[in-house]
Amino acid sequence: MTQSSSAPWWKKGIIYQIYPRSFMDSSGDGIGDLRGIADRLNYLDWLGIDGVWLSPIYPSPMADFGYDVADYVGVHETFGTLDDFDHLLSEAHAREMKIILDLVPNHTSSEHAWFKESCSSSDNPKRNWYIWRDAQPNGDPPNNWLGYFGGSSWCWNEASGQYYLHSFLKQQPDLNWHNPEVRKAIYDSIRFWLDRGVDGFRIDVIDRMIKDEQLRDNPLNPDYVEGRDNPTSKFLRVFSENRPGIHELITEFREVFDEYDDRVVIGEIAYSTDPGLITGFYGEGTQPFGTELHLPFNFALILLDWDAAPIKAFVDAYEAIMPPYGWPNYVVSNHDQTRIATRVGDAQARIAAMLILTLRGTPFIYYGDEIGMRDVDIPPEQYQDPQGINIGISRDPERTPMQWDDSANAGFAPAAAKTWLPVAPNYATEGVSVAAEKQDDHSMLTLYKRLIDLRRSNEALALGDYAQLDAQAGVPDGVYAYGRGFASGDQYVIALNFSDETKHAGFGGEIVLSTHLDRDGAVEALELRPNEGVLLRR
Ligand code: GLC
């Protein structure tokens, strides 16, 4: 079909997120690294992954595990060297796989040379690279803004006699994006990697980079209940998030990428179920794929109640307002959120797999979800994540080592190594590992592999239109069903039973795949077993 030949890779493709500390340890220190990732590319190739997004690999004191960057153009020694990176990139490209890096431009590490200079005196040339303000007359911070990891967003710097702003940890000072020198320095770092052949970036908290120039107080959140709610949500972030000027800034970012062919810009924006908020980040239709982000993250499937009606309502609305130059995307897990199998259970995690791999839009798979990895209970005294240590909401449980096989440490690290986070015991007790699941015709991994193969080999599933189906079309309550490719030759219907009851649909077709991996063939009227999803050809 003509559409496919012109469709860029990030529309057709499947993107896999690797948390580098936890994917594969080749050095034996209990922490994953770049050589380890390169060693496992054959697995990702077998699975059918088109692009790999790596969480940050740059030099960093690791106060926020790499989201505190001390040098934008280097590699942390724990992960390897620039040569190791180049090796990974060329091995990926040899398999026609893309590599996407994580850019963290809202803040640097407090160990970054820019910040050290900025701190050194109130009149040094880098002072205005960060956001410095005097104390209030009583010594209090300049305003009431709270950090996402707890406490005020302001930290007093005794030596230079002012406060600096940090939206996250005090080790993560916010850059001043009103300053053109900052913009140039970061754009040059992006070019450094794009010149090396990197295929794109995922940009961290991109909607928070512009702050109110007057730094006005945020208003109280009327729904906030002390003791019940996350203390960092006490104020509405009206003046510190999604400010006027952000779209111009993102457009400028995009222009850097457009100096190169075929690169992708993915942006982390607010977690929202408002489709209009998400589609606002595609920019204008003056270019084939918009002028801002190619893929503004859609986290709705993480936030919505896991049920047919709210998910259908969201997807229908998101599809309906998607501009012609925009392209949807779907995320169910990442390094900041509870894993999907833990949130919805193993049976519904299969529904999630069929959902993201058959909807119209780029699917993001978080490493390990394809084998049904679950969050690992970690006692508070062993928390590594600063968010867990500060406000009790730890992200360690979803960041544990990848489970490769049934050898010690699940094959992630040599037996003698002490892994940086514990390995889930279910690699041994329940066979939750790549090696075991590859041998099992009914495993989660087999389901992912079948779904990915189908998506890759059927244009209608990758790029075809999305068709709403409802009760009139024979969709029972508790089931979310939709069509793909109705406007083209190959037509598919996907029917997902979100309930634990048997459901009878008023339509049939040829069963291509069931999430239970145990049936195919033609049916006149589809009966869905509890928690079953079925892909039908019409
Ligand atoms: C983003 C990242 C998260 C990090 C934070 C600060 O939300 O996904 O892991 O802690 O930004 O950089």
Side-chain angles (χ1 to χ4, degrees):
M1 253 182 283
T2 45
Q3 197 194 4
S4 73
S5 33
S6 61
W9 63 269
W10 49 266
K11 278 177 102 171
K12 281 182 283 195
I14 294 163
I15 300 180
Y16 186 94
Q17 181 190 356
I18 287 182
Y19 196 67
R21 297 180 71 84
S22 293
F23 197 60
M24 185 65 209
D25 171 20
S26 75
S27 67
D29 63 357
I31 303 175
D33 46 50
L34 295 175
R35 288 266 157 194
I37 297 170
D39 289 347
R40 296 295 172 156
L41 285 178
N42 283 344
Y43 164 68
L44 298 177
D45 194 24
W46 167 82
L47 189 58
I49 298 304
D50 300 277
V52 176
W53 150 34
L54 304 177
S55 280
I57 56 165
Y58 315 102
S60 161
M62 296 284 169
D64 187 20
F65 293 104
Y67 285 93
D68 47 326
V69 177
D71 175 6
Y72 288 95
V73 293
V75 171
H76 194 290
E77 59 186 7
T78 299
F79 298 132
T81 62
L82 259 180
D83 281 347
D84 293 330
F85 179 77
D86 289 340
H87 168 72
L88 170 63
L89 191 62
S90 68
E91 288 293 313
H93 286 171
R95 294 166 177 79
E96 292 185 19
M97 217 181 279
K98 311 286 185 180
I99 297 284
I100 299 162
L101 290 183
D102 207 318
L103 183 77
V104 191
N106 179 70
H107 43 270
T108 68
S109 160
S110 52
E111 295 297 306
H112 197 295
W114 301 340
F115 187 67
K116 289 188 180 164
E117 207 182 310
S118 190
C119 271
S120 63
S121 69
S122 55
D123 59 0
N124 79 82
K126 292 232 166 28
R127 186 64 167 184
N128 197 26
W129 282 43
Y130 294 84
I131 302 169
W132 293 94
R133 286 295 183 281
D134 290 336
Q136 294 195 42
N138 65 0
D140 279 356
N143 67 22
N144 70 359
W145 295 1
L146 297 180
Y148 295 92
F149 294 151
S152 166
S153 325
W154 295 95
C155 180
W156 178 250
N157 177 251
E158 191 59 48
S160 65
Q162 280 191 311
Y163 279 99
Y164 66 84
L165 182 75
H166 59 91
S167 297
F168 293 87
L169 297 173
K170 68 177 192 300
Q171 297 94 328
Q172 294 167 295
D174 282 37
L175 281 164
N176 174 15
W177 278 88
H178 294 291
N179 183 342
E181 290 176 28
V182 167
R183 296 184 181 210
K184 181 172 185 312
I186 294 287
Y187 299 156
D188 284 346
S189 324
I190 296 175
R191 292 186 184 101
F192 170 88
W193 294 104
L194 296 183
D195 285 338
R196 277 193 122 73
V198 165
D199 301 287
F201 277 89
R202 171 267 188 193
I203 305 181
D204 196 62
V205 294
I206 193 162
D207 56 346
R208 302 178 209 171
M209 292 172 47
I210 298 277
K211 280 96 190 170
D212 180 40
E213 281 195 270
Q214 299 165 48
L215 298 173
R216 282 169 282 185
D217 273 353
N218 276 327
L220 261 176
N221 175 355
D223 300 329
Y224 176 76
V225 177
E226 190 102 30
R228 183 195 69 182
D229 295 331
N230 180 333
T232 67
S233 63
K234 183 167 177 188
F235 299 101
L236 298 174
R237 297 179 192 273
V238 173
F239 293 109
S240 48
E241 261 184 31
N242 205 356
R243 294 296 304 162
I246 191 62
H247 294 284
E248 288 76 5
L249 177 60
I250 297 177
T251 306
E252 210 179 89
F253 259 85
R254 171 64 180 275
E255 282 164 9
V256 178
F257 289 84
D258 287 347
E259 293 166 15
Y260 300 77
D261 287 338
D262 226 17
R263 313 299 163 101
V264 69
V265 197
I266 304 161
E268 185 198 24
I269 54 170
Y271 278 68
S272 172
T273 55
D274 171 5
L277 188 144
I278 305 168
T279 57
F281 285 92
Y282 291 106
E284 307 295 326
T286 49
Q287 288 201 46
F289 309 116
T291 49
E292 294 184 38
L293 301 171
H294 293 118
L295 300 172
F297 266 140
N298 160 22
F299 297 125
L301 296 178
I302 292 177
L303 302 168
L304 291 166
D305 283 345
W306 192 257
D307 214 342
I311 292 178
K312 171 181 168 49
F314 173 82
V315 177
D316 288 354
Y318 180 53
E319 278 283 352
I321 65 163
M322 185 62 57
Y325 49 88
W327 181 250
N329 71 86
Y330 292 94
V331 183
V332 291
S333 299
N334 64 31
H335 65 295
D336 295 328
Q337 305 293 330
T338 300
R339 280 187 182 275
I340 186 71
T342 298
R343 186 160 73 89
V344 305
D346 293 346
Q348 283 293 319
R350 289 179 177 241
I351 296 291
M354 186 171 269
L355 178 68
I356 64 169
L357 289 162
T358 60
L359 276 171
R360 190 183 82 110
T362 303
F364 283 84
I365 300 174
Y366 184 50
Y367 83 95
D369 269 10
E370 77 279 18
I371 54 169
M373 272 175 67
R374 282 175 237 144
D375 283 10
V376 177
D377 268 341
I378 293 177
E381 61 279 8
Q382 284 172 32
Y383 282 170
Q384 305 267 347
D385 175 24
Q387 183 176 277
I389 294 166
N390 292 358
I391 58 172
I393 307 171
S394 179
R395 298 168 295 179
D396 295 328
E398 62 261 20
R399 297 176 174 180
T400 61
M402 179 67 177
Q403 297 162 212
W404 293 103
D405 57 37
D406 65 359
S407 65
N409 283 329
F412 160 74
K418 180 167 169 19
T419 60
W420 80 285
L421 283 175
V423 178
N426 64 8
Y427 79 91
T429 56
E430 295 171 50
V432 180
S433 74
V434 170
E437 295 190 29
K438 259 191 173 180
Q439 307 301 319
D440 175 356
D441 290 347
H442 297 98
S443 67
M444 183 73 89
L445 183 59
T446 300
L447 175 64
Y448 267 85
K449 171 79 175 140
R450 296 275 313 272
L451 283 164
I452 292 172
D453 284 351
L454 282 165
R455 188 180 176 98
R456 287 176 73 96
S457 55
N458 291 281
E459 200 113 284
L461 287 174
L463 295 168
D465 56 288
Y466 166 85
Q468 291 185 24
L469 297 176
D470 52 26
Q472 276 173 340
V475 184
D477 269 359
V479 171
Y480 172 30
Y482 47 93
R484 294 298 312 282
F486 278 17
S488 66
D490 291 328
Q491 303 189 348
Y492 292 93
V493 169
I494 296 91
L496 305 170
N497 186 354
F498 281 75
S499 81
D500 51 13
E501 291 159 24
T502 302
K503 297 283 177 179
H504 299 275
F507 52 80
E510 186 204 335
I511 298 177
V512 180
L513 186 67
S514 155
T515 52
H516 295 195
L517 298 166
D518 60 356
R519 61 167 169 158
D520 51 24
V523 288
E524 219 152 89
L526 177 68
E527 182 182 291
L528 286 163
R529 289 166 288 173
N531 304 305
E532 185 183 27
V534 167
L535 173 66
L536 294 170
R537 192 178 282 120
R538 290 218 303 186

